[in-house]
């Protein structure tokens, strides 16, 4: 009696899980991409007062490029952190690959990103240079001989530029939608990136000490890092956010209700979870505005997009539903915290 081969779904499932582990999908899909999704939506909502919206295919390809870029930044970091992660006792998906296999994977990923970039932006040298800067800064942050992540403040700036600042510039340059609000959104995401990488170094402080990884946190100490986040970065970020929203209201009047609605939801959240009241204003952590950037802002803009004058109703609702589905893991995390689940 012959046995049937294992179902293909199992093999496919294993492959998908391996890709998720290598790209560290869960670490950027609902923390880095939502702000970029919001920027893409803003460019289209502003089209009501400007001109026809961009080609949907062009936006889809640009979003794919942003995903490739985010994944590459995490992959190259994992590849060059195998030894230090092992010393610190941290898991690393690349530790299961040979060095040559890891290099091949990174090379293929870069090749796919470059091919897509050239295919879409062959006639736009500025965008191609921006793509080069994005991938170059991601590589320089993690890879020797530069390995800027171990060069103090330069490491924070490079991480923020690669993951936050440059991708937003890429969006507005690729779609040709520069405005004062666009400049402020670039600055805002750059400040968010600085605060997030600062919080990351604070969280990894003990592990970095164990693995002898030199970062700004290990050289300056946790107290200095917390002061930097609480008294400089977070106030600047808050001010930039408020000014950006104020300017955006000229093109998108419904944004006048954005902050009141968010503050009402936040008040309800904190009423149910009083232990988090101090965390939401702790500028040295991920907590401040995390729900705003990662859930509320893209969902609010998606609803506005669905009912926009120049968007087909079916297409608009479809985009809004897809964005809502994309954000489900982040919503589940907030619900998990509320429920007190481990």
């Amino acid at each position: 009696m012959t046995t049937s081969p294992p179902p293909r779904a199992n093999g496919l499932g294993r492959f998908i899980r391996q890709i998720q582990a290598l790209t560290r999908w869960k670490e950027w899909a609902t923390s880095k991409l939502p702000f970029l999704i919001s920027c893409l939506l803003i460019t289209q909502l502003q089209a009501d007062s400007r001109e026809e919206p961009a080609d949907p295919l062009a936006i889809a390809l640009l979003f794919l490029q942003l995903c490739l870029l985010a994944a590459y930044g995490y992959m190259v970091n994992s590849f060059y952190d195998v030894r230090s992660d092992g010393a610190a006792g941290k898991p690393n998906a690349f530790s299961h690959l040979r060095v040559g296999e890891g290099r091949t994977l990174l090379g293929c990923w870069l090749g796919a990103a470059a091919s897509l970039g050239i295919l879409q932006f062959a006639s736009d040298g500025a965008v191609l240079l921006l793509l080069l800067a994005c991938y170059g800064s991601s590589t320089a942050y993690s890879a020797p001989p530069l390995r800027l992540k171990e060069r103090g403040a330069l490491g924070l700036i490079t991480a923020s530029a690669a993951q936050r600042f440059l991708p937003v510039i890429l969006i507005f340059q690729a779609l040709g939608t520069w405005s004062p609000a666009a400049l402020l959104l670039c600055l805002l995401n750059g400040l968010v990136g600085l605060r997030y990488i600062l919080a990351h170094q604070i969280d990894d402080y003990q592990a970095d000490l164990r693995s002898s990884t030199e970062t700004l946190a290990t050289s300056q100490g946790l107290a200095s890092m917390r002061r930097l986040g609480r008294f400089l970065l977070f106030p600047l970020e808050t001010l930039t956010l408020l000014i950006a929203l104020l300017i955006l209201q000229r093109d998108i009047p419904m944004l006048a209700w954005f902050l009141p609605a968010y503050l009402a939801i936040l008040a309800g959240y904190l009423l149910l979870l009083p232990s988090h009241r101090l965390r939401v204003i702790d500028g040295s952590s991920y907590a401040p505005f995390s729900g705003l950037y990662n859930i509320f802002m893209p969902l609010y803009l998606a609803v506005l997009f669905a009912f926009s004058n120049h968007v087909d109703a079916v297409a608009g609702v479809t985009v809004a539903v897809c964005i809502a589905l994309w954000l489900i893991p982040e919503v589940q995390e907030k619900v998990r915290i509320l429920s007190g689940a481990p």
Side-chain angles (χ1 to χ4, degrees):
M1 180 174 145
T2 59
T3 58
S4 59
R8 290 186 180 181
N10 291 342
L12 179 60
R14 283 195 299 270
F15 175 75
I16 292 174
R17 286 193 294 272
Q18 287 174 349
I19 293 298
Q20 287 178 332
L22 289 168
T23 61
R24 294 162 64 181
W25 161 271
K26 293 182 179 180
E27 296 182 46
W28 54 264
T30 55
S31 65
K32 305 295 190 303
L33 267 294
F35 194 100
L36 302 181
I37 291 172
S38 295
C39 290
L40 288 170
L41 289 169
I42 286 170
T43 64
Q44 300 313 293
L45 288 168
Q46 287 178 317
D48 268 347
S49 59
R50 190 183 63 246
E51 57 188 19
E52 287 301 312
D55 176 17
L57 178 59
I59 295 177
L61 291 176
L62 177 58
F63 181 72
L64 176 58
Q65 182 67 251
L66 293 169
C67 291
L68 291 173
L69 173 60
Y72 174 78
Y74 278 84
M75 290 166 69
V76 71
N77 186 61
S78 292
F79 178 72
Y80 287 105
D81 275 6
V82 168
R83 187 172 299 176
S84 60
D85 283 349
K90 294 169 60 178
N92 188 314
F94 275 81
S95 64
H96 304 294
L97 300 180
R98 292 190 289 269
V99 173
E101 292 174 335
R103 287 202 180 101
T104 300
L105 177 60
L106 290 176
C108 292
W109 203 271
L110 275 175
S115 300
L116 178 63
I118 293 172
L119 175 68
Q120 188 173 8
F121 304 112
S123 60
D124 194 333
V127 173
L128 292 178
L129 285 175
L130 270 172
L131 283 171
L132 183 62
C134 288
Y135 285 96
S137 57
S138 293
T139 303
Y141 176 74
S142 301
L146 294 178
R147 196 162 167 79
L148 298 178
K149 68 182 297 181
E150 296 188 24
R151 298 184 184 270
L154 189 57
L156 264 68
I157 294 170
T158 305
S160 177
Q163 297 178 357
R164 299 278 185 171
F165 185 62
L166 290 174
V168 181
I169 294 178
L170 178 64
I171 288 173
F172 293 116
Q173 181 64 35
L175 299 178
T177 52
W178 283 109
S179 66
L183 292 173
L184 285 169
L185 288 170
C186 293
L187 175 60
L188 175 61
N189 208 29
L191 290 169
V192 173
L194 287 173
R195 181 166 63 83
Y196 273 36
I197 193 65
L198 179 146
H200 174 71
Q201 289 195 4
I202 289 175
D203 287 350
D204 276 8
Y205 179 75
Q206 294 298 334
D208 288 337
L209 287 178
R210 288 195 299 271
S211 63
S212 300
T213 300
E214 185 178 348
T215 65
L216 189 63
T218 59
S219 63
Q220 298 298 317
L222 292 181
S224 295
M225 297 293 281
R226 290 193 173 106
R227 284 196 298 270
L228 177 62
R230 290 167 179 170
F231 303 117
L232 180 62
L233 294 180
F234 183 51
L236 282 175
E237 178 189 332
T238 303
L239 180 62
T240 305
L241 172 63
L242 292 174
I243 297 174
L245 289 173
L246 187 63
I247 293 176
L248 279 169
Q249 285 179 33
R250 294 183 303 180
D251 293 337
I252 312 172
M254 286 299 293
L255 280 178
W257 297 97
F258 177 81
L259 270 183
Y262 170 72
L263 292 175
I265 294 173
L266 179 63
Y269 183 83
L270 295 179
L271 187 64
L272 294 171
L273 203 67
S275 60
H276 280 225
R277 287 174 185 171
L278 291 179
R279 289 191 60 198
V280 298
I281 56 171
D282 182 2
S284 65
S285 73
Y286 297 107
F289 297 142
S290 64
L292 184 147
Y293 297 136
N294 299 336
I295 299 174
F296 187 71
M297 185 161 69
L299 283 179
Y300 188 96
L301 293 169
V303 172
L304 294 185
F305 179 77
F307 296 99
S308 178
N309 293 332
H310 66 262
V311 175
D312 175 76
V314 175
V317 171
T318 301
V319 169
V321 169
C322 289
I323 291 172
L325 292 174
W326 183 280
L327 300 176
I328 282 177
E330 188 70 9
V331 175
Q332 288 175 328
E333 175 64 15
K334 299 296 183 186
V335 172
R336 184 191 65 79
I337 294 173
L338 274 178
S339 66

